[in-house]
Amino acid sequence: MSRSTLRLAAALCLFVAAAGPALASDKPAGGAAVLSWTPDEQKWGYKHMEEINPTHVFKRGATVHALPMAQTQIDPKWTHDGKTWDTASYMAAMRTSGVLVLKDGKVILERYGLDRGPNDRWTSFSVAKSVTATLVGMAVKDGYIKSLDDPVTTYIPKLTGPGYAGVTVRQLITMTSGVKWNEDYTDPNSDVAKVGFSSDEAGVNPVVSYMRKLPREATPGTKFVYKTGETDLAGILVSSATGKTLSAYLSEKLWAPYGMEQDGIWMDDIAGHERGGCCISITLRDYARIGQFMLDGGKIDGKDVLPDGWVADATAAHVTLPPESGETGYGYFWWLMPGGYSAQGIFGQQIMIYPKERLVIAINSAWPRATGRDLWGAQAVFNEAIRAAAK
């Protein structure tokens, strides 16, 4: 199964698990229906996820991290698939709701589409995974997580069973636990189709309840398998270690002190816990600020809020991927590409970071399909055109 298919299955599982009661007829249905929303439903629903699914709020602070406009703006032009493109034609064709590019912390390109403006939030889908991994690093820095080499069960004691015995936090956040997993959503009996949807164990988070029953298929640390459930476990681990909700910890450690522009929302699971693997909703400028925070080495006002070397370690190839996958490797819930690394979500959500070029590209979209090599390929060409224009 391709990695783009894996991401689609992962997101579908998350929305199945988050499905709530039927909504008024003038709103798109939640749950798995998100994958078959019409273009108009996407345009409205991606901006109003808090009206469709249960959520937590993470708060901004008293000040805003400025993103000044650069003196020189760019509008790249390129050729792809036999056509000549510019930013406007790309955004129209790819149903892009926002593109924002930072060079040395200054805005060199900012455009909006699909009736979206600078104050409108947009859902992240799996971009949230990279945020969850960053919260893991902050919990290490704060001493809540003593070591990435600690057993996961130290922080999630109810994750009993043979599958996760001896699995470390590091193996969890690189998806190399060795636990057997089926991510094929076309199979109604697959793990991704069932995890977190229900639980027959009172007092146990439904994700933990499901995951602790899984068997092991490989020695921990030896095999990469994309597992939606493990990103949710990482979120539960952070909450368990810190004694705080993910939203409260995100607000305390990043959103307020860094100076994010608006409050954000985070979608809950059926137990009322934020999904570590999916669906924060924030403004385009705040997507870009996440990228700038990483680009600047995880510092706020010159002070480290991540462990020494965390950003380099989190974006190193802990897993090597074949060239045909479109990525070169996988870090701590970050995808690696030539020259940079990326947080990615289906339907065209991306924060792309190029450290040597001091470049951040934030893109939100409402693609007609959740994923596909042609869609990601076109966006990759757009990113390369931006890189060339930004030199």
Side-chain angles (χ1 to χ4, degrees):
M1 184 183 294
S2 70
R3 284 177 176 76
S4 60
T5 303
L6 292 178
R7 292 180 200 130
L8 168 59
L12 180 52
C13 168
L14 289 167
F15 275 93
V16 168
L23 295 160
S25 59
D26 60 341
K27 297 179 182 178
V34 69
L35 294 180
S36 58
W37 279 355
T38 66
D40 284 343
E41 288 173 330
Q42 287 178 311
K43 187 168 65 173
W44 186 88
Y46 290 0
K47 292 190 291 187
H48 299 91
M49 295 300 284
E50 69 274 21
E51 298 185 37
I52 299 170
N53 292 289
T55 60
H56 274 74
V57 177
F58 43 96
K59 296 288 189 177
R60 55 155 285 177
T63 61
V64 174
H65 180 108
L67 297 179
M69 299 296 291
Q71 185 174 358
T72 301
Q73 300 289 295
I74 65 168
D75 185 2
K77 293 178 174 56
W78 68 99
T79 301
H80 174 64
D81 199 23
K83 300 178 182 178
T84 299
W85 299 83
D86 60 14
T87 304
S89 60
Y90 175 85
M91 291 181 68
M94 298 294 287
R95 290 183 47 80
T96 302
S97 75
V99 177
L100 196 152
V101 182
L102 300 178
K103 175 76 171 181
D104 295 320
K106 296 181 179 181
V107 177
I108 60 173
L109 173 64
E110 183 175 12
R111 301 280 186 88
Y112 294 91
L114 302 183
D115 297 330
R116 183 190 185 192
N119 294 323
D120 291 321
R121 301 187 188 102
W122 196 265
T123 191
S124 72
F125 293 103
S126 289
V127 168
K129 289 178 171 65
S130 304
V131 174
T132 297
T134 304
L135 291 179
V136 171
M138 291 172 173
V140 171
K141 174 72 172 177
D142 288 347
Y144 292 117
I145 298 172
K146 302 302 181 185
S147 171
L148 292 185
D149 296 317
D150 285 347
V152 172
T153 51
T154 298
Y155 305 98
I156 313 178
K158 292 182 179 179
L159 193 63
T160 56
Y164 286 94
V167 171
T168 68
V169 177
R170 191 187 312 275
Q171 289 159 351
L172 183 75
I173 62 176
T174 55
M175 298 192 187
T176 59
S177 67
V179 170
K180 188 175 182 180
W181 180 265
N182 179 357
E183 190 87 8
D184 183 2
Y185 192 75
T186 62
D187 177 2
N189 292 314
S190 68
D191 299 305
V192 75
K194 296 187 294 184
V195 63
F197 185 65
S198 64
S199 176
D200 57 2
E201 297 182 286
V204 181
N205 179 279
V207 173
V208 175
S209 176
Y210 187 88
M211 301 295 283
R212 70 183 186 174
K213 299 169 186 174
L214 296 175
R216 177 172 292 172
E217 68 171 354
T219 301
T222 64
K223 184 177 181 180
F224 171 78
V225 176
Y226 193 90
K227 304 182 187 73
T228 294
E230 293 195 338
T231 60
D232 288 327
L233 284 180
I236 293 166
L237 187 150
V238 170
S239 291
S240 177
T242 63
K244 304 172 184 180
T245 66
L246 289 181
S247 295
Y249 196 52
L250 177 59
S251 180
E252 172 193 334
K253 298 301 300 181
L254 178 61
W255 222 250
Y258 192 73
M260 298 302 188
E261 191 169 288
Q262 284 196 21
D263 295 348
I265 62 170
W266 202 326
M267 193 180 75
D268 294 343
D269 64 19
I270 61 172
H273 188 283
E274 301 97 326
R275 282 280 178 177
C278 188
C279 305
I280 62 175
S281 290
I282 60 178
T283 67
L284 180 63
R285 284 186 159 231
D286 285 342
Y287 278 107
R289 288 183 177 95
I290 292 173
Q292 190 65 40
F293 167 78
M294 293 294 290
L295 185 63
D296 290 341
K299 297 179 186 293
I300 298 177
D301 295 329
K303 298 179 181 179
D304 291 318
V305 295
L306 289 166
D308 289 344
W310 176 269
V311 171
D313 190 28
T315 61
H318 293 272
V319 173
T320 301
L321 300 177
E324 61 269 20
S325 71
E327 294 93 13
T328 60
Y330 196 67
Y332 298 158
F333 299 163
W334 289 93
W335 297 96
L336 312 184
M337 285 85 165
Y341 56 93
S342 177
Q344 296 179 186
I346 58 170
F347 292 104
Q349 323 316 318
Q350 188 172 38
I351 305 171
M352 189 74 212
I353 301 161
Y354 297 99
K356 290 184 179 179
E357 296 156 51
R358 304 292 301 167
L359 193 68
V360 173
I361 304 171
I363 302 177
N364 290 138
S365 310
W367 287 348
R369 288 177 283 115
T371 191
R373 187 168 293 183
D374 58 332
L375 298 170
W376 283 112
Q379 189 145 298
V381 173
F382 182 36
N383 284 338
E384 289 303 309
I386 290 171
R387 289 177 77 185
K391 289 182 178 177

